[in-house]
Amino acid sequence: MLSSFDIAGAQQLYGRRGNDFLWEMVGNVRDLAGAPFDALLFRNTAQSHSGHSRPFSGDFSGSDDIYWYAPGTGRDFMWFGRASGVFDQSVTAKAFNHPGTFIPLSGDFNGDTRGDIFWYQAGSGQDYLWWVLVKRGAFTETKAEVSGTFKPVVGDFDGDGTSDIEWYGVGSATDYTWFGSPGGFIKNTNFRQVSGDGTDDIYWYTK
């Protein structure tokens, strides 16, 4: 995962291969533009997380954090980023207790500058939206309905500062774009963004 887990906003990488580790970029990333990856300077910080989880990052508390999602009956955790580079693990966060396997989509879907979570279940299963609250680790849950099998992509595709979701239907299936807004999602069909206009774009490739 690439994100900014401390208050200073330095870019960091969190990876797993047996042991957990956090690589924090040292210096100004603009000074290293165009440099090869092995020229980038990182500070390695040991971390520890046990269990089989699917981690994803988001700004759930004013700095980028990690939500450890364990599909099924596994226990979920949330780590909150701190300026020291060591995560605050003392806060008990809301757990996702719905059965099934979901794809969590993280973004600021209502424009309040905090990260929300869209829990998408492929097919006809019930989907859920978590809107972040002021209290750390707290969310309010509402139901959502996608009804279909898609490969979702999150980005700000209309440049309004809120996160949107592109629902890509594989093959001949219809694609949809849901635009985030303070009043909820505004749904559109077959939307395509234009590069060079200050909005997020999608690079489509074929394996």
Side-chain angles (χ1 to χ4, degrees):
M1 291 179 295
L2 172 63
S3 199
S4 173
F5 297 120
D6 62 15
I7 304 301
Q11 287 298 299
Q12 297 157 317
L13 288 164
Y14 190 98
R16 308 197 70 190
R17 182 178 291 177
N19 296 322
D20 303 323
F21 54 88
L22 175 70
W23 284 7
E24 181 179 3
M25 181 174 289
V26 180
N28 192 329
V29 67
R30 286 187 290 271
D31 297 336
L32 299 170
F37 182 79
D38 57 6
L40 302 180
L41 303 178
F42 290 91
R43 179 170 59 240
N44 193 330
T45 305
Q47 305 288 332
S48 179
H49 173 74
S50 60
H52 299 281
S53 304
R54 298 180 181 178
F56 61 95
S57 64
D59 179 4
F60 307 123
S61 65
S63 64
D64 282 358
D65 316 302
I66 300 178
Y67 189 104
W68 298 90
Y69 166 51
T73 59
R75 184 181 176 187
D76 301 332
F77 299 88
M78 186 174 287
W79 289 8
F80 296 95
R82 295 190 298 190
S84 63
V86 178
F87 290 96
D88 181 0
Q89 305 176 36
S90 64
V91 179
T92 300
K94 180 179 176 67
F96 187 73
N97 295 319
H98 298 286
T101 299
F102 291 78
I103 300 174
L105 308 174
S106 174
D108 177 13
F109 299 121
N110 60 358
D112 65 355
T113 72
R114 295 292 182 92
D116 310 302
I117 305 173
F118 193 111
W119 298 94
Y120 165 60
Q121 185 174 199
S124 58
Q126 181 67 63
D127 307 305
Y128 299 90
L129 258 167
W130 279 12
W131 305 101
V132 73
L133 300 176
V134 175
K135 181 181 177 181
R136 296 180 75 190
F139 296 83
T140 182
E141 180 180 283
T142 60
K143 292 183 178 180
E145 197 71 45
V146 179
S147 296
T149 300
F150 300 92
K151 293 186 176 180
V153 180
V154 175
D156 180 10
F157 302 126
D158 57 0
D160 66 351
T162 61
S163 300
D164 314 306
I165 304 176
E166 170 77 7
W167 301 98
Y168 168 55
V170 180
S172 59
T174 301
D175 306 331
Y176 299 89
T177 303
W178 288 15
F179 296 101
S181 74
F185 283 103
I186 301 172
K187 303 175 183 179
N188 197 322
T189 305
N190 293 327
F191 171 78
R192 288 293 180 268
Q193 62 280 3
V194 180
S195 61
D197 59 2
T199 63
D200 290 341
D201 306 301
I202 303 175
Y203 182 89
W204 301 98
Y205 75 98
T206 303
K207 291 185 177 180

